[in-house]
Amino acid sequence: DGTYACAYDIEKAGDYKMDVQIGGEHVAKSPFTVVARPGATHVANTEVVASNKAADAGKNVVTLQLKDVKGNKRHKGGDKVMVTVEQVVKREVAARDNGDGTFAVDVPPDMVGDVKLSTAINGEAAPGDAGAVTAVNKPVPVSAEHAALVKAALPASSASMLRMLERMAPDERQELVDELRTGLKADQALSAQRQKETAARDAKREAAAKAKADAKAAKKAAKAKLDEEIAKQLADEEAAEAAEASKVASTLGSIKSAFGLK
């Protein structure tokens, strides 16, 4: 039908130039650039690229490089790498994904002495083991920022918590610090809300007390005014009665005088 199919298996990842010619002449835009990326992880090709036979507990002791079936190094993370750390008992821990195809293995900070490491990648056991190491439990100083956070979140038990943090792996320490920071923020938000509600209640009480005082003062002023008006009315009535009595007396005097009465 005028179309042609061509397939070529590239084994090594990298950039390639692909010439497409018909009758010895390049087709339009030829040559093309082809980027061959590493394929899916092939567990059997896993390589230990760094190993410390003696290291501080909680620190990186082994770095694993994941590869595809052709042996090309993986350039991105996303695989699930679990490490079994064996001493008296076995413990499974997650390796740290560096995001570039390598994974860092840390010995748990509370495991001291000779430990054996074995690795499983995406549920499949890696060939051999990641090695045997001797771990030393050496405290790692806690930063001033983290110490201040612990003291603010756990004032009563901050000393013991700081000692625990000194012997935690970096990722474990960060997880705990993040939880403390989240809890502290929640406590601060709750405290702020309570302060706001308390201030609102106080303001409401003050407003009610002021309204009551104003009403009492207004009632007192109204009573005083009423008393004043009543007193004035009584005074006016007494004055009118006195004037009327004086008038009556004057009229009576005139009548007596006219008739010569005493």
Side-chain angles (χ1 to χ4, degrees):
D1 60 0
T3 63
Y4 294 82
C6 177
Y8 180 77
D9 187 9
I10 300 177
E11 294 191 358
K12 185 177 180 180
D15 296 341
Y16 292 85
K17 183 179 72 173
M18 181 176 67
D19 295 330
V20 180
Q21 301 179 8
I22 299 177
E25 295 184 6
H26 285 280
V27 300
K29 298 183 179 181
S30 175
F32 301 92
T33 298
V34 177
V35 179
R37 296 185 175 87
T41 298
H42 187 66
V43 177
N45 287 341
T46 300
E47 177 187 0
V48 178
V49 294
S51 179
N52 297 317
K53 294 303 180 182
D56 295 340
K59 295 293 188 67
N60 175 229
V61 293
V62 173
T63 300
L64 304 176
Q65 173 66 64
L66 274 55
K67 299 182 179 182
D68 66 10
V69 69
K70 299 296 184 180
N72 295 295
K73 295 180 179 179
R74 295 269 294 160
H75 294 162
K76 62 181 181 179
D79 295 274
K80 183 179 180 181
V81 179
M82 302 300 296
V83 180
T84 299
V85 184
E86 183 177 356
Q87 201 177 48
V88 178
V89 295
K90 292 183 179 181
R91 183 190 303 180
E92 189 176 56
V93 297
R96 287 187 289 109
D97 190 343
N98 295 324
D100 59 359
T102 64
F103 287 77
V105 179
D106 299 335
V107 173
D110 57 342
M111 297 190 76
V112 181
D114 296 334
V115 295
K116 181 181 179 182
L117 309 175
S118 55
T119 310
I121 302 172
N122 300 326
E124 181 180 346
D129 58 46
V133 299
T134 299
V136 180
N137 193 348
K138 182 179 180 182
V140 179
V142 178
S143 68
E145 177 190 358
H146 290 174
L149 178 63
V150 170
K151 291 177 181 178
L154 303 169
S157 57
S158 60
S160 58
M161 179 57 69
L162 288 172
R163 287 194 296 271
M164 289 176 59
L165 283 177
E166 288 179 344
R167 288 169 171 78
M168 284 186 175
D171 54 341
E172 292 177 327
R173 177 184 295 189
Q174 191 60 51
E175 287 176 1
L176 180 57
V177 167
D178 290 342
E179 287 185 5
L180 291 176
R181 182 178 288 113
T182 300
L184 187 59
K185 286 182 179 178
D187 290 343
Q188 291 172 341
L190 180 59
S191 177
Q193 180 63 27
R194 286 175 176 171
Q195 290 177 356
K196 184 177 179 181
E197 292 174 354
T198 299
R201 286 195 298 268
D202 291 344
K204 187 175 181 180
R205 282 196 296 267
E206 290 176 1
K210 185 177 182 302
K212 184 177 180 180
D214 290 345
K216 186 177 181 179
K219 184 177 180 180
K220 184 177 180 180
K223 184 177 182 302
K225 185 177 181 181
L226 180 60
D227 291 343
E228 183 182 354
E229 291 177 351
I230 291 173
K232 184 177 182 302
Q233 184 178 355
L234 290 174
D236 291 344
E237 289 176 354
E238 289 176 357
E241 289 177 356
E244 183 65 25
S246 176
K247 183 178 180 181
V248 170
S250 177
T251 301
L252 186 58
S254 297
I255 294 172
K256 287 181 178 182
S257 179
F259 289 96
L261 300 175
K262 294 183 180 181

